[in-house]
Amino acid sequence: MQFSLERFFLLLRKRWAESGRMYLLGLAILAGFWALTLSLFILAGNGNQNLQLVMLIMGLIGGGAMFAYHQFQQLSTTPGAIRFLHLPGSHLEKNLVALLFIFGFFLPAAMAVFYVVDLSLVEIARRRWWPDADESPLKILDWHKTGDAIATYGIVTAVFALGSVYFSRSALVKTGAAFFVLGMAILFANFWLPYWLVPHSENIMMVSEMFDKLELHNRETSEVDVMQLPESWKTMFNVFLAVLLPVYCWCIAYVRLREKQA
Amino acid sequence: MANVQIEQLRFGYKRSRPMFQDLSLTLEPGHVYGLLGRNGAGKSSLLRLMGGLLFPQEGYCRVGDFRAAERHPDFLREVFYIPEEFDLPHMRISDYVRVNAPFYPRFDREQFERYLDEFELVSHLRMTELSFGQKKKVFTGFGLAANTTLLLLDEPTNGLDIPSKTQFRRLIAQVVDPERVIVVSTHQVRDLEGLIDPVIILENSKVLLHEPMERIHEKLWFTTVPTLEQAPAPPLYHEPSLRGIAAVLPNPEGRHSKPDLELLFNAVLKNPDTIAALFAQPSLTPA
């Protein structure tokens, strides 16, 4: 693995010169999306922090997927792939440039944009419609509130970066489709596997909290049985999802980039 | 970096259908190699193998101390590949140079500006304002000014108008350097006449001819005869021309003629074995 700080900065400068304007435009579009959706919810009288968090996650998933895909988008055409692969820089440096733009630029910039939009809209709403309500903007620096959003962003961007290196043609569509199918399969397995494994009857109603616990409500006795992983397992599972899975995807992307031909 | 060495290379887009098998070739610095072949003969693939963009299935391609397929950054900064179709970012020419030139240690800005002048372009123009031919001139000018030790050009005259083809030939002639290997692949052989030496002709995954122009002069006689019966020997290849019949003949008497690359190409494709046998004979004069 070759790494030169000088080449790394040259690659960063080149990426910014070629795509910086588009990235800023992307952030403006994201700001518009958040302004529109949050305004609609506020006008409908529903602007609590959970909803704000959901909108943050949706924006980060959509924007992050597009941004990560763009990092290796050149590889989807032969002339683009030639330009990318023949640029004098190591595969490691090119991968690190993508990583830095995804985590060092887009994530903080998108969070800041969300904060500004959210703060402005909630403030306007409080003055005009909710003088007595205690609604407040989402605290984006509070890890307990936004940790899930950042972890989701990390997973989505890693998967889409890998997809754009892995697939030669229509990488965005193929990655999106693969991500959707895999996600649905995991959700399905997460819900139904425990249900099939546990003895149950028609009186049992199942309520699932994603990857966390499964509640079996007995309609006759009103008893609730809870199935959940031990805390240590849950921690391991969260670490796997939020850290190991993205790291694994980035490692595969690096290997695949080395093998890429044009 | 020094020469390009291809050794027992096997390559194909499908493993069952090799494009090259046991291909061995050495390219020395100080020459402009002309890589000629029909469409699909593997010219572009061979250039990409040299540039590390395609990987051999067996054998290797080395450029100096580097295996091309490893795409080591020190290798990449000594190689510039100008493909037939290329992709340039939407920015001003001057910005393109500002962010790309530092990757090439011997890039010469004055040289690049001279090329732009010659092509009647100015550096504040945006790439989006340029035609395909103009973009090609910018990219070619950048590649030449990068002064890399290996310069690979794939169909460089495609998309250029007639005056630009002349300019291109002049520029290539200017950048020939004892330290530099230039490989030009083309099927428009007339565009590069007088520029390329040696000539490599590819056909059906094989190198049919790899000879310097001096040997081609020595072994073949390019002439025009009024009728085939008046030819001093049975031609290796002939075709009608305005002045009679243009023919390629063996040249046992060492007569001097100006090689016509198109005739040479057709002659080699038509009579590969006869021509191979002719060139296998030792030279009459010492090299």
Side-chain angles (χ1 to χ4, degrees):
Chain A
M1 281 198 249
Q2 302 96 24
F3 183 80
S4 147
L5 204 59
E6 187 194 350
R7 273 200 310 262
F8 179 68
F9 282 119
L10 286 176
L11 288 168
L12 274 181
R13 188 174 75 149
K14 179 176 152 65
R15 172 65 55 84
W16 180 254
E18 288 181 0
S19 310
R21 215 176 268 186
M22 206 175 75
Y23 295 164
L24 295 177
L25 186 68
L27 284 170
I29 292 170
L30 200 53
F33 164 76
W34 277 325
L36 185 72
T37 49
L38 288 171
S39 303
L40 288 175
F41 284 123
I42 286 170
L43 286 172
N46 196 351
N48 64 49
Q49 288 209 352
N50 281 343
L51 207 60
Q52 293 171 37
L53 181 63
V54 169
M55 294 326 297
L56 172 67
I57 292 176
M58 283 180 68
L60 286 182
I61 288 177
M66 294 296 292
F67 193 77
Y69 162 71
H70 183 267
Q71 298 305 309
F72 299 105
Q73 187 192 6
Q74 273 181 289
L75 295 171
S76 61
T77 62
T78 306
I82 289 172
R83 187 156 75 92
F84 186 91
L85 297 173
H86 228 246
L87 187 68
S90 68
H91 302 102
L92 177 68
E93 289 154 7
K94 289 170 187 174
N95 246 22
L96 288 177
V97 165
L99 254 174
L100 192 73
F101 265 100
I102 287 171
F103 287 101
F105 167 71
F106 190 78
L107 179 62
M111 296 284 274
V113 164
F114 178 84
Y115 183 70
V116 170
V117 172
D118 192 33
L119 181 74
S120 312
L121 290 176
V122 171
E123 201 54 41
I124 291 169
R126 278 167 64 169
R127 286 188 188 172
R128 284 200 65 161
W129 297 295
W130 310 332
D132 304 322
D134 56 355
E135 298 293 357
S136 61
L138 186 68
K139 293 184 179 70
I140 59 163
L141 293 179
D142 183 350
W143 174 254
H144 295 291
K145 294 220 185 295
T146 55
D148 285 350
I150 293 169
T152 309
Y153 174 81
I155 295 166
V156 169
T157 49
V159 168
F160 274 81
L162 171 61
S164 62
V165 177
Y166 190 85
F167 296 114
S168 299
R169 297 273 180 269
S170 312
L172 186 65
V173 175
K174 285 179 184 169
T175 312
F179 192 59
F180 179 76
V181 169
L182 200 66
M184 291 306 286
I186 291 171
L187 285 182
F188 184 80
N190 180 59
F191 186 80
W192 286 107
L193 274 182
Y195 187 68
W196 285 330
L197 290 173
V198 175
H200 58 273
S201 67
E202 285 177 0
N203 293 328
I204 301 290
M205 188 182 73
M206 193 169 65
V207 177
S208 168
E209 275 185 32
M210 188 95 69
F211 305 120
D212 196 356
K213 64 180 175 184
L214 193 71
E215 291 176 359
L216 301 163
H217 294 255
N218 191 318
R219 289 191 182 101
E220 282 181 350
T221 62
S222 298
E223 281 179 351
V224 179
D225 292 320
V226 177
M227 275 177 68
Q228 65 185 106
L229 292 170
E231 277 306 312
S232 59
W233 281 53
K234 273 166 66 178
T235 309
M236 273 167 49
F237 185 68
N238 286 339
V239 168
F240 169 77
L241 264 187
V243 181
L244 294 184
L245 183 64
V247 169
Y248 175 75
C249 287
W250 279 102
C251 290
I252 299 290
Y254 168 73
V255 172
R256 182 72 183 145
L257 194 60
R258 283 176 62 103
E259 293 169 350
K260 200 83 182 170
Q261 301 185 60
Chain B
M1 292 229 284
N3 56 4
V4 179
Q5 199 183 354
I6 296 171
E7 204 57 54
Q8 306 226 299
L9 181 137
R10 180 195 157 101
F11 172 78
Y13 289 97
K14 286 183 180 167
R15 209 167 169 92
S16 55
R17 263 194 295 161
M19 179 174 263
F20 301 117
Q21 210 159 10
D22 287 332
L23 179 73
S24 295
L25 203 60
T26 301
L27 310 185
E28 301 285 348
H31 299 282
V32 181
Y33 286 86
L35 195 57
L36 314 181
R38 280 197 263 226
N39 291 334
K43 304 185 296 293
S44 301
S45 302
L46 189 55
L47 287 187
R48 289 182 196 180
L49 283 158
M50 290 181 203
L53 290 162
L54 292 175
F55 302 160
Q57 290 158 348
E58 286 168 24
Y60 63 82
C61 174
R62 291 188 82 92
V63 180
D65 297 331
F66 297 101
R67 264 182 194 258
E70 286 173 9
R71 291 199 288 256
H72 192 286
D74 291 342
F75 159 77
L76 293 175
R77 55 195 242 165
E78 288 296 341
V79 183
F80 202 90
Y81 173 48
I82 301 174
E84 187 180 4
E85 286 176 35
F86 52 89
D87 170 46
L88 288 176
H90 297 172
M91 59 198 326
R92 290 184 196 284
I93 298 173
S94 53
D95 291 333
Y96 178 79
V97 172
R98 182 173 55 80
V99 296
N100 284 282
F103 288 102
Y104 300 95
R106 284 189 301 282
F107 186 87
D108 186 333
R109 278 168 202 269
E110 284 179 15
Q111 195 181 339
F112 179 69
E113 290 294 332
R114 276 206 312 276
Y115 296 152
L116 283 189
D117 280 348
E118 189 140 351
F119 288 132
E120 294 169 359
L121 292 167
V122 279
S123 59
H124 64 76
L125 285 173
R126 286 190 169 278
M127 299 290 189
T128 44
E129 297 168 22
L130 304 179
S131 68
F132 175 77
Q134 287 174 315
K135 282 184 195 165
K136 190 147 198 170
K137 289 172 187 176
V138 172
F139 196 39
T140 306
F142 185 90
L144 299 181
N147 289 307
T148 52
T149 51
L150 176 60
L151 179 61
L152 305 167
L153 300 115
D154 195 357
E155 304 289 355
T157 54
N158 271 8
L160 296 185
D161 52 28
I162 293 167
S164 303
K165 286 180 182 182
T166 315
Q167 284 170 331
F168 170 78
R169 274 197 295 269
R170 194 166 54 238
L171 294 186
I172 292 286
Q174 283 171 15
V175 298
V176 177
D177 182 294
E179 300 292 313
R180 193 179 227 192
V181 183
I182 301 175
V183 189
V184 186
S185 124
T186 189
H187 60 264
Q188 298 184 10
V189 289
R190 287 209 193 278
D191 288 348
L192 300 171
E193 227 150 19
L195 182 71
I196 53 179
D197 183 11
V199 174
I200 301 170
I201 296 180
L202 285 179
E203 174 74 356
N204 290 334
S205 327
K206 284 184 186 148
V207 176
L208 296 186
L209 184 85
H210 177 194
E211 295 292 342
M213 291 307 281
E214 194 185 338
R215 286 259 298 162
I216 294 168
H217 272 291
E218 184 197 311
K219 296 287 177 188
L220 300 173
W221 182 30
F222 296 81
T223 188
T224 306
V225 289
T227 60
L228 274 181
E229 290 72 33
Q230 287 172 278
L236 295 163
Y237 176 78
H238 63 89
E239 63 183 34
S241 76
L242 287 175
R243 287 180 291 140
I245 293 171
V248 184
L249 297 117
N251 192 16
E253 290 155 24
R255 277 182 277 209
H256 185 79
S257 62
K258 186 177 173 237
D260 179 318
L261 284 179
E262 204 165 294
L263 285 181
L264 171 71
F265 180 71
N266 289 328
V268 171
L269 292 198
K270 194 176 173 215
N271 288 300
D273 296 335
T274 315
I275 289 193
L278 262 179
F279 279 91
Q281 292 165 12
S283 295
L284 293 173
T285 51

